[in-house]
Amino acid sequence: MTDHLSQTFAALADPTRRALLADLLKGEAYVSDLAKPFLKEMSLPAVTKHLKVLEKAGLIKKTKAAQWRSCQINAAPLKDATDWIEQYREFWEESFDRLDEYLKTIQAKKKTKGSKNGRSKT
Amino acid sequence: MTDHLSQTFAALADPTRRALLADLLKGEAYVSDLAKPFLKEMSLPAVTKHLKVLEKAGLIKKTKAAQWRSCQINAAPLKDATDWIEQYREFWEESFDRLDEYLKTIQAKKKTKGSKNGRSKT
DNA sequence: TAGTTAATTAACCATTTAGTTAATTATAAT
DNA sequence: ATTATAATTAACTAAATGGTTAATTAACTA
């Protein structure tokens, strides 16, 4: 599993790590601040380990200041991940098209009974 | 690790599984055909297992025809994955901008020494 | 009916992962 | 010099992952 993409996807395959990255959307933060929301569910060393996984995957960078470690997002690997997934876009859009078509058929059959369905989040 | 997004990313975090999905870009295929390129590296049951991971993650659908199982891509989960990643786009684009700026500075310093660097793959 | 083909399931093994508690490092503060 | 704070490392455990070979299921074929 040593290749970059695998490492990136593996890092993202954990809700705690995704939440940590989401927290970092707001900006740089210290380990202890990042850890705070998780300390009911897990220990500090557990968070440290998750951060280490993110760091090894190149998704965060740490900088040292006194006894604090400040973390920030490094999103570059996410570009490669999204580029890989992008190959499949036509497939999911196609299936939405089929859904649209299906829904239109339904509507046609329902004739004058009013419209209720439609593709959401588009 | 039961949530959908985690399952999707975990499924993608393996080069064999990504290669299987890539093969399916060309269209529907039987398990035995999909397996062929990998049988030097691993056994058929190993491939079966990878396909099962993809199936559980909802990334492929299997249909039965006699003793053959035909697999096809179901890309819908990839939309959620890419939507999640999309939140970070500004971050990687921003860092490319910084790189551009840096490279411009370098160029400026090099003055008349000619241009050699620039952002690649854009 | 017996044999072949396609694929899965079972049983097992080694490695990795995600967590724990306890100990350690490094810096700051009194 | 001692103590407190921030974070990591060490040592351990349970469960998940990715692979194996052997056995089994299910359908077609002669």
Side-chain angles (χ1 to χ4, degrees):
Chain A
M1 204 278 288
T2 50
D3 68 290
H4 269 195
L5 264 186
S6 296
Q7 242 186 307
T8 304
F9 284 128
L12 298 180
D14 182 283
T16 304
R17 287 194 292 264
R18 286 198 308 278
L20 287 166
L21 284 176
D23 286 346
L24 288 172
L25 278 171
K26 299 169 223 148
E28 234 174 318
Y30 294 127
V31 169
S32 47
D33 294 328
L34 284 172
K36 217 163 282 170
F38 302 99
L39 294 181
K40 295 136 202 165
E41 311 152 34
M42 70 185 70
S43 65
L44 180 61
V47 177
T48 294
K49 279 190 176 188
H50 281 301
L51 290 171
K52 185 134 295 192
V53 172
L54 290 171
E55 198 180 12
K56 277 194 182 171
L59 288 166
I60 63 169
K61 296 287 180 202
K62 278 192 233 178
T63 55
K64 207 174 155 180
Q67 69 264 58
W68 290 273
R69 308 291 187 287
S70 188
C71 305
Q72 51 188 314
I73 291 176
N74 185 59
L78 294 179
K79 179 172 180 354
D80 295 327
T82 213
D83 284 350
W84 188 90
I85 293 177
E86 201 55 32
Q87 301 177 274
Y88 298 86
R89 174 178 293 279
E90 53 170 318
F91 286 83
W92 75 72
E93 284 182 346
E94 190 178 88
S95 68
F96 274 128
D97 289 348
R98 276 199 293 272
L99 178 60
D100 271 352
E101 202 140 319
Y102 169 72
L103 291 173
K104 272 176 210 152
T105 313
I106 295 296
Q107 301 260 292
K109 278 181 187 159
K110 283 193 178 172
K111 284 265 158 73
T112 52
K113 288 188 174 176
S115 81
K116 219 177 158 189
N117 292 306
R119 188 200 296 178
S120 59
K121 302 212 305 182
T122 309
Chain B
M1 202 278 290
T2 53
D3 68 289
H4 269 197
L5 220 38
S6 296
Q7 245 186 302
T8 304
F9 283 129
L12 298 180
D14 181 282
T16 303
R17 288 195 290 266
R18 287 198 307 280
L20 286 167
L21 284 176
D23 286 348
L24 288 171
L25 278 170
K26 299 170 224 148
E28 232 175 319
Y30 294 128
V31 170
S32 45
D33 293 328
L34 284 172
K36 218 162 281 169
F38 302 99
L39 295 182
K40 294 137 203 164
E41 307 152 35
M42 70 186 70
S43 67
L44 180 61
V47 176
T48 293
K49 279 191 177 185
H50 281 301
L51 290 171
K52 185 134 294 192
V53 173
L54 291 171
E55 198 180 13
K56 279 195 181 169
L59 289 166
I60 63 170
K61 296 287 181 203
K62 277 191 235 180
T63 56
K64 207 174 153 181
Q67 68 265 57
W68 290 274
R69 307 292 187 286
S70 189
C71 306
Q72 51 189 312
I73 291 175
N74 186 59
L78 294 180
K79 179 174 180 352
D80 295 328
T82 214
D83 284 351
W84 188 89
I85 293 176
E86 202 55 31
Q87 304 177 272
Y88 298 86
R89 174 177 293 278
E90 53 170 317
F91 286 82
W92 73 72
E93 284 182 346
E94 188 178 89
S95 68
F96 274 127
D97 289 349
R98 275 201 293 272
L99 178 59
D100 272 351
E101 201 140 320
Y102 170 71
L103 292 173
K104 274 175 209 153
T105 313
I106 295 296
Q107 302 260 292
K109 278 181 185 161
K110 282 193 178 172
K111 285 266 161 72
T112 51
K113 286 190 177 176
S115 80
K116 219 176 159 191
N117 292 307
R119 189 201 297 176
S120 59
K121 302 214 301 181
T122 307

